[in-house]
Amino acid sequence: MKAILNLFDFSQKINYKNEILAGLTVAMTMIPESLSFAILAGFPPLVGLYAAFIMGLVTAVLGGRPGMVSGGAGATVVVLIALMQSHGIEYVFAAVALAGVLQILVGVFKLGKFIRLVPNPVMYGFVNGLAVIIFMSQLEQFKSAGGGGWLTGTTLYIMAGLVALTIAIVVLLPKLTKAVPASLVAIIVVFAIVFGFGIETKTVEDIASVSGGFPPFHVPDIAFNIETLQLIFPYSLIMAAVGLTEGLLTLSLVDEITGTRGNSNRECVAQGSANILNGFFYGMGGCPMIAQTLVNLSAGARARLAGIVAALTILLIILFGAPIIGKVPIAALVGVMIMVAIGTFEWASFSIINKMPRHDIITGILVAVITVWLHNLALAVLIGVVISALVFAWESAKRIRARHYTDSEGVKHYEIYGPLFFASTTVFMEKFDVEADPDVIIIDFKESRIADMSAIETINNLTAKYSKAGKTVHLRHLSEDSRRLLANARAVVDVNIIEDPTYKVVTDKVK
């Protein structure tokens, strides 16, 4: 019998030691980040930890990408700050739940496949921008607790020294052994040194308390009417879009790293389900977290177990382990996250930059800048995709061409190469000479395709010109969808259905 979740399927080669240790490491790095984001948005600290637990557990079990880690991510939390300030946390919970519903709809209607439209330059820009954000966010930890100024003197030197020690362990330990995750060893060693020698430095409890109970069920205390829906819907829509964008891009990145393929639509449903639960169990919502995912993968995790261990570890820490975890030095976590930022950055983009087209370089840089500047991942990716699409349209428009000849019966043939769409219609029309052409012409679309409404209008205009001149136009080798688009032009064109090609979209099924 096929395992539905592939969690404890012993036919798979799963390193359970790596999965458990990776999960513990991820939990250690997720706690301070979730707390920081919650405090930034004005939420109670535990709301961030509840989100990390709920998102992590649900997506680990139900998600479409083993090895990917979700939690209370800053990308989605930033969207909700304005709603929190204007209407309070109850409306935030309602917006989070509604965002979950929208994400489930995306998965149910199988729209997750459109992440394939994101080109590589946009991915490079997205990943490099995230690496910079991860690194810059760690610099904030070199400030005094409570939003004070930069650390100075001995306090600064201790913090920097512990961070340097953490980085050194993460870099050097894998050269000696890979039996345990270097990140987890680094955290334990730095914790032991600080605790053993009584070193004064910033710890997790300086950010906020991590002690609490099990997430309680709670229906958002709001008015359930159309006015409330109109208020929260824009926030929910943006949150859903940001979460899915970051999640599906992270999924694609993990696919590339592991050489396997995840299910984007299943991930959308899992993310939406987790956010609905967040809305009813005091969670601030979230999405897949690329930094924690890379920590997970670098520790050797490839299955769902690591994500489950991380989520349950966070819950156990909330219930029982707060006094110990509160003493973990922030410097150790900063060092781990700095190494994650270094590992996230696509350094290969520098080596191939002189081999890439100029427009791809500009697109990648622009996406990275927007990601860093606005922290709006969805907007950065959208702008990158739009620019890439326009560049592609322009380049494709320049490549449409026509080969023409006249046969023994006096019929002139135009063989079209390249797609006919909005950007190529002008060049297409310039290929024809209505006045000089014979009474019968044939336009062969065997190597072309009529793609959109602009192309239809162009065909109609062209055939109308020939008809007005008393000449006949025949279209041949049109694909089935092209013939459907040209239904309105059948009065003046002759469509040959022989040898029509068909076009299909790759399915979502993972084999």
Side-chain angles (χ1 to χ4, degrees):
M1 180 177 177
K2 184 178 179 180
I4 297 176
L5 300 179
N6 288 330
L7 176 57
F8 295 112
D9 179 6
F10 289 96
S11 65
Q12 292 182 310
K13 293 182 179 180
I14 298 176
N15 189 319
Y16 288 92
K17 181 193 69 176
N18 281 357
E19 294 291 320
I20 294 172
L21 294 178
L24 295 174
T25 307
V26 167
M28 293 301 101
T29 61
M30 192 183 295
I31 287 173
E33 190 165 343
S34 298
L35 287 172
S36 298
F37 288 139
I39 294 170
L40 172 67
F43 303 149
L46 278 176
V47 170
L49 294 184
Y50 287 153
F53 162 63
I54 295 171
M55 290 297 305
L57 182 61
V58 174
T59 56
V61 175
L62 302 178
R65 174 68 269 176
M68 197 159 75
V69 177
S70 297
T76 53
V77 172
V78 170
V79 175
L80 303 173
I81 293 178
L83 181 61
M84 175 65 184
Q85 293 174 343
S86 62
H87 289 80
I89 197 166
E90 296 294 336
Y91 283 84
V92 169
F93 291 147
V96 169
L98 180 58
V101 173
L102 297 176
Q103 290 172 329
I104 288 177
L105 291 176
V106 170
V108 168
F109 288 102
K110 301 186 182 302
L111 303 179
K113 71 184 80 173
F114 289 105
I115 194 64
R116 302 170 194 162
L117 298 178
V118 179
N120 275 342
V122 177
M123 283 288 290
Y124 278 136
F126 167 79
V127 171
N128 290 345
L130 277 179
V132 174
I133 289 176
I134 293 170
F135 179 81
M136 295 300 293
S137 66
Q138 303 315 305
L139 298 182
E140 292 296 313
Q141 301 299 339
F142 284 87
K143 293 182 178 180
S144 301
W150 294 98
L151 299 177
T152 58
T154 304
T155 306
L156 174 62
Y157 300 143
I158 291 174
M159 181 77 170
L162 293 175
V163 170
L165 175 60
T166 303
I167 293 174
I169 294 173
V170 173
V171 172
L172 298 176
L173 184 63
K175 297 180 180 180
L176 300 176
T177 178
K178 295 183 179 179
V180 291
S183 299
L184 181 59
V185 172
I187 292 172
I188 294 174
V189 169
V190 173
F191 174 82
I193 291 175
V194 170
F195 183 78
F197 290 95
I199 299 174
E200 295 264 344
T201 187
K202 191 196 300 189
T203 60
V204 170
E205 66 184 4
D206 291 326
I207 299 178
S209 172
V210 295
S211 178
F214 194 84
F217 176 76
H218 169 73
V219 177
D221 185 13
I222 60 172
F224 292 91
N225 52 40
I226 190 65
E227 289 77 14
T228 300
L229 180 61
Q230 291 173 342
L231 171 66
I232 67 174
F233 184 79
Y235 294 98
S236 299
L237 182 62
I238 296 173
M239 178 184 171
V242 170
L244 291 180
T245 300
E246 185 166 0
L248 295 179
L249 287 176
T250 303
L251 184 145
S252 298
L253 183 63
V254 178
D255 284 353
E256 181 180 343
I257 292 173
T258 61
T260 57
R261 181 181 169 194
N263 188 316
S264 57
N265 294 312
R266 179 174 172 177
E267 184 61 35
C268 293
V269 173
Q271 189 178 150
S273 301
N275 276 321
I276 290 176
L277 289 176
N278 268 297
F280 289 97
F281 284 91
Y282 273 97
M284 66 182 183
C287 65
M289 304 173 74
I290 190 169
Q292 278 68 28
T293 297
L294 291 172
V295 168
N296 194 40
L297 296 178
S298 64
R302 291 295 183 271
R304 300 180 184 275
L305 182 58
I308 295 173
V309 169
L312 294 178
T313 299
I314 291 173
L315 178 62
L316 291 175
I317 288 171
I318 294 172
L319 298 177
F320 310 110
I324 297 176
I325 298 302
K327 300 297 182 182
V328 172
I330 289 295
L333 304 178
V334 169
V336 170
M337 296 306 292
I338 287 176
M339 290 307 300
V340 168
I342 294 173
T344 301
F345 198 91
E346 287 282 0
W347 299 100
S349 58
F350 288 121
S351 62
I352 65 173
I353 195 168
N354 60 340
K355 303 174 184 177
M356 297 170 62
R358 184 179 303 171
H359 55 79
D360 283 347
I361 297 173
I362 294 174
T363 300
I365 294 174
L366 182 61
V367 171
V369 169
I370 294 175
T371 302
V372 173
W373 184 25
L374 299 179
H375 286 215
N376 191 327
L377 308 181
L379 178 62
V381 171
L382 177 62
I383 291 176
V385 171
V386 169
I387 292 175
S388 297
L390 291 176
V391 170
F392 174 78
W394 178 255
E395 294 297 324
S396 298
K398 293 192 298 184
R399 287 180 172 82
I400 191 168
R401 60 193 190 278
R403 174 177 175 268
H404 57 83
Y405 65 91
T406 302
D407 62 21
S408 58
E409 297 180 359
V411 177
K412 190 170 184 179
H413 296 253
Y414 286 90
E415 296 178 347
I416 308 301
Y417 298 86
L420 181 58
F421 64 112
F422 67 92
S424 61
T425 54
T426 301
V427 178
F428 173 78
M429 290 292 287
E430 293 173 351
K431 305 295 183 184
F432 299 90
D433 188 349
V434 178
E435 297 299 327
D437 281 347
D439 292 339
V440 179
I441 71 164
I442 295 175
I443 306 176
D444 194 332
F445 284 90
K446 185 177 182 179
E447 302 295 334
S448 181
R449 185 184 183 192
I450 297 172
D452 61 8
M453 190 64 197
S454 297
I456 295 173
E457 185 63 24
T458 299
I459 293 293
N460 284 334
N461 291 338
L462 181 64
T463 54
K465 287 182 179 180
Y466 276 106
S467 179
K468 186 176 181 180
K471 300 176 181 181
T472 303
V473 177
H474 300 276
L475 305 185
R476 285 186 178 172
H477 293 139
L478 286 170
S479 62
E480 184 178 352
D481 50 355
S482 295
R483 287 186 286 111
R484 285 198 300 268
L485 290 174
L486 280 171
N488 293 334
R490 285 179 180 171
V492 290
V493 299
D494 177 26
V495 178
N496 185 350
I497 64 173
I498 299 176
E499 297 183 277
D500 281 352
T502 58
Y503 302 87
K504 297 180 180 180
V505 179
V506 177
T507 66
D508 296 302
K509 185 176 180 181
V510 181
K511 297 182 180 179

